[in-house]
Amino acid sequence: VFPDTQQYRGRGTKAQPDGTDETTNPIFDTWARWTADNLQRQRIVFVSHVGDIVDRNSAEQWEVARRCMDHLHGRVPYGICPGNHDMTGSGDSSLFQRYFPQTRFEAFPWYGGVFKAGTEEETVSDDNANSFQQFSAEGLDFVVLHLECNAPDDVLQWADKVLDEHAGRRAIVTTHMFLGPREHPKTARDYFDAPKGVMNWKKRHGDRGNTPQQMWDKCFQKHANLFLICCGDQSRTQTMRQTLTGEHGNQVYAVLSDYGVNGLRLYSFRPGANLIKVTTYNPVTGKLCT
């Protein structure tokens, strides 16, 4: 799992707004290269990006992001969900859709499909902004949904259908916002100190957008095959795990990772032990995160 990859350098970036150098993201590039180089050694069968792929929604940064993900393209199944930095306040993710469109993936057998908005406003929620993938390993079959930040009701209805149609597969959802301060922080310290859990606030899609709690109530909790929800977004919380119980009594593990420059997540599935071992590794330093 790739946490938020917002560590861009050069002109037009948050880190160097007055810079004139070419836009780069050496952290993202190193993560992607390390993953590609270790597909066999780590037995990596899927890669998921939790969103906030860019820090500013500009063509220059999207060019860099696509070059980074090109290290994995055609070598391992992967999915990406747009975060709040990857779209406008109204949910326009047209730049994401330009650089990571459905056409980039549709020839791969593991690529399941996308939500189609069916409206004239095709820059909102359409194309690859909401997608699903399938993979199998060690005799286990999985379906993975990548849902945009604060996905509206029509997207959740599509997600319901996908999960129902693949009820025989173990289901994972990746969406940008899920765990963090429960209520919208009123002060800077609230991001660190306020009670945390499934969030009751949102950033995108205006009145149409759903908070993480609404996404759970309206969609996620209804599906017995769902067992894992991956998210990012909250760099001041950095890491968190919460166990939720679905309507069918199934345990759903919600896991947050957003470490900035300090590493990516490795989920090592141990079917024989009924266990998932989770570690955070920093390919830049070659060290585990403590």
Side-chain angles (χ1 to χ4, degrees):
V1 172
F2 285 5
D4 307 39
T5 49
Q6 295 173 276
Q7 301 82 32
Y8 291 82
R9 312 291 295 180
R11 58 177 173 264
T13 62
K14 285 190 172 182
Q16 297 176 317
D18 300 321
T20 58
D21 293 338
E22 178 186 1
T23 303
T24 61
N25 192 331
I27 301 294
F28 192 176
D29 188 72
T30 300
W31 291 2
R33 287 179 184 273
W34 180 88
T35 303
D37 290 344
N38 285 274
L39 292 176
Q40 298 303 318
R41 180 178 296 178
Q42 296 290 337
R43 305 184 70 189
I44 296 168
V45 294
F46 194 85
V47 178
S48 180
H49 195 309
V50 303
D52 275 4
I53 305 150
V54 298
D55 74 349
R56 286 189 169 160
N57 194 19
S58 69
E60 280 189 314
Q61 291 194 16
W62 283 111
E63 288 276 3
V64 173
R66 185 168 62 185
R67 288 201 301 269
C68 290
M69 293 305 293
D70 279 347
H71 296 308
L72 304 175
H73 198 68
R75 300 190 61 189
V76 64
Y78 70 93
I80 306 177
C81 66
N84 56 292
H85 282 260
D86 306 325
M87 62 177 79
T88 66
S90 64
D92 184 330
S93 57
S94 53
L95 279 177
F96 169 82
Q97 294 170 38
R98 183 193 305 174
Y99 287 91
F100 292 96
Q102 178 183 2
T103 54
R104 177 178 168 91
F105 302 96
E106 59 190 5
F108 293 120
W110 48 263
Y111 188 68
V114 300
F115 168 76
K116 288 293 186 182
T119 65
E120 293 182 1
E121 197 175 12
E122 293 181 348
T123 59
V124 176
S125 300
D126 212 59
D127 203 334
N128 193 47
N130 299 279
S131 64
F132 77 96
Q133 299 78 28
Q134 302 172 78
F135 71 94
S136 299
E138 294 291 326
L140 304 178
D141 299 324
F142 296 86
V143 59
V144 192
L145 276 81
H146 284 80
L147 302 180
E148 64 186 322
C149 186
N150 305 132
D153 285 353
D154 52 356
V155 173
L156 296 183
Q157 290 162 9
W158 170 81
D160 276 332
K161 184 178 178 181
V162 171
L163 289 169
D164 285 342
E165 290 178 349
H166 298 85
R169 288 178 171 266
R170 298 161 192 264
I172 301 169
V173 168
T174 295
T175 190
H176 184 60
M177 286 182 72
F178 198 73
L179 296 180
R182 286 275 297 161
E183 305 302 328
H184 196 297
K186 295 179 173 60
T187 70
R189 285 306 313 174
D190 286 345
Y191 284 97
F192 297 94
D193 303 332
K196 294 177 181 179
V198 182
M199 299 155 79
N200 275 314
W201 50 290
K202 58 188 176 182
K203 298 180 178 181
R204 292 295 183 260
H205 285 290
D207 292 339
R208 293 181 62 246
N210 283 298
T211 68
Q213 184 65 58
Q214 289 172 319
M215 293 172 74
W216 169 261
D217 293 340
K218 294 179 180 181
C219 178
F220 301 162
Q221 69 169 340
K222 298 187 297 183
H223 299 281
N225 56 330
L226 179 62
F227 73 98
L228 184 66
I229 300 172
C230 299
C231 63
D233 182 64
Q234 290 297 307
S235 58
R236 283 162 283 197
T237 303
Q238 292 194 328
T239 179
M240 183 176 174
R241 185 189 73 180
Q242 186 165 16
T243 304
L244 309 172
T245 303
E247 288 181 359
H248 301 275
N250 52 306
Q251 287 190 320
V252 182
Y253 302 100
V255 283
L256 161 70
S257 54
D258 185 4
Y259 301 100
V261 302
N262 292 310
L264 52 80
R265 271 280 178 87
L266 294 171
Y267 289 81
S268 177
F269 286 65
R270 313 288 177 87
N274 194 30
L275 179 72
I276 303 172
K277 181 180 178 181
V278 185
T279 53
T280 300
Y281 177 72
N282 188 345
V284 177
T285 62
K287 296 179 179 179
L288 295 175
C289 177
T290 57

